[in-house]
Amino acid sequence: MGHQTRATFGSKLSAVLVAAGGAVGLGNIWRFPYVAGENGGGAFLAIYILCAVIMGLPIMLAEFVIGRSSHSNAFGAFRHHSNLWKYMGFNCILTSFLIMGFYCVVAGWTIEYTVHSVASGIARSTLADEHAAYFSAFISNPWRPVLYTAAAMLLTHTVIALGVRKGIERCSRMLMPVLLIMLVVLAVRSLMMPGGFEGLRFFLYPDFSKVSARTLLVAIGQVFFSLSVGLGSMITYASYFKSDTDLRTTAVNVTVIDTLVAVLAGLVIFPAVFSVGIEPSAGSSLVFITLPSIFATMPLSTVWSTLFFLLLAVAALTSVISLHEVITACIHEEWHIRRRTAAWITTLSITVLGTAASLSLGLLDGWRIFGLTIFDALDFVTANILLPVSGMFSALFAGWVIKRTTFVDELTGRSMKYSRQAEVVRILLRYVCPIMLSLIFLDNLGLLNWL
Ligand code: PHE
């Protein structure tokens, strides 16, 4: 299997930063605030944290065990433990491919907004309508968003081609701390805006009257997407962990960092949104349309908007890198193709898919799959079908297929002291997670609408 020659991440800190870089992305900074805004603010936050602990964390641990115990790409990792389950690897590759198809488009938008901020001061106008017009003209343009999608893929490719140590590790070590610092600075600035306190209250005060059974399911889905579990991304990264990397502390740290970034993003967005009187449930347009008008009301607006979109681009890019690596590692190791060639195959095929997804918001609007544009169909199928299914299988696989001793040893580093913790995680994986994930799935199919 040749795992002696396989790359590993240098230090324990690198393992945490690399995995956190994969997890932290548009899901935290763009999706979390608006989903929280639509689902009761503070109450959603409380439920989200609970779901992250009882479901997100155990599944991340499961993926770490699957990856590190096999020292292999996602496909090889399942095959390592069971020949029958190797087909799960296909699901991982497919899901990563399809998610990247629309994710790289949005990553491209964040780069455009960064460039636009520097070049022509995106944040000059306070009128949200003007920003809405700019946004829709941009995303439906036949070539500009396509170029930015390609730019996002080329940047990703450069990091991947540099390899595991020099590329992925160095990039994450450098970018993750910058990201956290930028978010804290922006949160402080946002909280100082007049009326910002109202936003803070909305975000942190739990009003449970707005909570329904569906809120729980929305929260589980968001935890899942945000922690990047269910598609082999954490399996692949864990395969590069050293044998003495403590999986428990790594997973806890990644979960805490990911949740912290989401909360910080809420602290940036809600006070500002309330301060300028915009609806917190404005949805997916929140970042691209309303934030520029918020920045315009601030002194040094160009600096703030550039900083924010750069931050978003960084977060998106480290996530695209983690998705890219799932496919590149598979092609490289399974087909015995040189890593660089494998990376090119991935980059080019994703760029083609991304181009189609981007054009589907303008030129190819007529091409519909079950009534959805290619962009929306990719988003829908991955988030609502493929992720819950493969997450459930990861939990079942780690809970039922991997030998108990392998699981416990891998998780505890063969220390008896932690074996009870490992047993608790195993119970969560065998029973709690599959049941909860089945509920998400049924809900997504519309079978729980009576709740
Ligand atoms: N977790 C990333 C985010 O929050 C998205 C992602 C999902 C990345 C799955 C990799 C794998 O944006």
Side-chain angles (χ1 to χ4, degrees):
M1 283 191 291
H3 66 246
Q4 292 88 340
T5 55
R6 214 162 174 271
T8 53
F9 292 132
S11 67
K12 289 172 192 163
L13 179 65
S14 296
V16 172
L17 292 179
V18 169
V24 173
L26 296 167
N28 307 61
I29 298 170
W30 157 75
R31 192 168 192 269
F32 175 81
Y34 92 75
V35 173
E38 287 170 350
N39 289 279
F44 181 85
L45 179 63
I47 294 171
Y48 177 89
I49 291 174
L50 189 74
C51 291
V53 174
I54 60 170
M55 220 185 64
L57 184 58
I59 295 191
M60 187 180 295
L61 284 166
E63 298 204 351
F64 279 179
V65 168
I66 297 171
R68 217 251 310 260
S69 63
S70 58
H71 294 282
S72 186
N73 61 80
F75 188 81
F78 283 100
R79 188 189 46 214
H80 176 85
H81 293 280
S82 149
N83 207 30
L84 183 71
W85 280 73
K86 68 179 177 209
Y87 299 104
M88 265 301 295
F90 280 127
N91 193 28
C92 289
I93 312 296
L94 180 72
T95 311
S96 303
F97 185 73
L98 298 180
I99 288 191
M100 253 201 289
F102 72 92
Y103 205 95
C104 67
V105 176
V106 186
W109 297 349
T110 63
I111 298 175
E112 200 278 347
Y113 269 66
T114 310
V115 173
H116 187 47
S117 289
V118 183
S120 52
I122 198 172
R124 256 190 231 126
S125 166
T126 51
L127 295 174
D129 284 353
E130 253 173 58
H131 295 293
Y134 179 83
F135 180 68
S136 56
F138 167 63
I139 65 167
S140 59
N141 185 288
W143 59 273
R144 283 183 57 222
V146 174
L147 282 187
Y148 280 103
T149 302
M153 284 314 294
L154 276 179
L155 272 175
T156 308
H157 180 89
T158 311
V159 176
I160 292 282
L162 283 171
V164 169
R165 269 265 174 114
K166 282 205 211 116
I168 301 175
E169 179 178 332
R170 210 195 290 155
C171 186
S172 301
R173 281 191 73 122
M174 220 163 56
L175 297 180
M176 283 306 294
V178 178
L179 183 90
L180 281 175
I181 294 168
M182 277 162 114
L183 267 179
V184 171
V185 171
L186 283 174
V188 171
R189 179 65 194 90
S190 182
L191 281 164
M192 278 162 38
M193 289 175 77
F197 185 75
E198 221 13 67
L200 187 67
R201 209 184 109 83
F202 170 81
F203 184 47
L204 296 183
Y205 177 76
D207 175 5
F208 284 101
S209 67
K210 286 185 193 151
V211 168
S212 65
R214 212 181 152 93
T215 315
L216 181 76
L217 298 171
V218 172
I220 293 172
Q222 174 61 21
V223 164
F224 224 66
F225 187 83
S226 186
L227 290 179
S228 305
V229 289
L231 46 58
S233 161
M234 290 299 170
I235 295 178
T236 310
Y237 273 3
S239 74
Y240 301 126
F241 288 176
K242 289 202 151 119
S243 56
D244 64 348
T245 299
D246 182 353
L247 299 187
R248 293 168 317 123
T249 47
T250 307
V252 169
N253 281 327
V254 172
T255 307
V256 169
I257 292 174
D258 190 75
T259 309
L260 191 71
V261 172
V263 172
L264 279 173
L267 293 179
V268 173
I269 287 167
F270 289 116
V273 158
F274 273 74
S275 175
V276 295
I278 290 166
E279 276 304 306
S281 55
S284 55
S285 61
L286 210 56
V287 167
F288 292 102
I289 297 177
T290 56
L291 274 176
S293 45
I294 294 165
F295 290 129
T297 65
M298 295 160 59
L300 298 176
S301 61
T302 302
V303 176
W304 291 113
S305 70
T306 308
L307 208 61
F308 185 83
F309 286 110
L310 186 64
L311 171 109
L312 204 59
V314 166
L317 230 50
T318 49
S319 292
V320 185
I321 290 168
S322 77
L323 286 159
H324 195 297
E325 180 61 21
V326 175
I327 304 178
T328 302
C330 262
I331 297 180
H332 168 53
E333 292 176 359
E334 295 300 315
W335 291 350
H336 307 288
I337 288 177
R338 278 176 53 226
R339 192 180 153 86
R340 272 167 192 264
T341 317
W344 271 118
I345 295 175
T346 312
T347 301
L348 293 178
S349 53
I350 302 293
T351 308
V352 170
L353 184 64
T355 301
S358 180
L359 289 178
S360 78
L361 299 173
L363 210 62
L364 301 184
D365 188 32
W367 293 19
R368 299 271 167 156
I369 305 167
F370 294 112
L372 296 173
T373 60
I374 298 172
F375 184 97
D376 289 337
L378 289 173
D379 185 349
F380 180 86
V381 169
T382 51
N384 297 336
I385 299 172
L386 293 172
L387 272 181
V389 171
S390 64
M392 176 151 78
F393 282 116
S394 287
L396 290 171
F397 184 77
W400 297 91
V401 179
I402 291 187
K403 286 202 204 78
R404 185 174 162 276
T405 47
T406 312
F407 183 83
V408 174
D409 284 353
E410 200 63 57
L411 215 55
T412 59
R414 296 186 175 70
S415 152
M416 287 303 287
K417 216 164 93 193
Y418 303 118
S419 58
R420 186 168 291 174
Q421 283 179 13
E423 292 297 347
V424 172
V425 173
R426 210 160 163 264
I427 290 172
L428 288 171
L429 292 171
R430 282 164 83 99
Y431 305 104
V432 179
C433 296
I435 292 172
M436 289 176 93
L437 284 168
S438 308
L439 289 178
I440 301 184
F441 198 57
L442 291 175
D443 180 60
N444 283 328
L445 288 176
L447 298 177
L448 291 185
N449 287 347
W450 48 274
L451 277 177

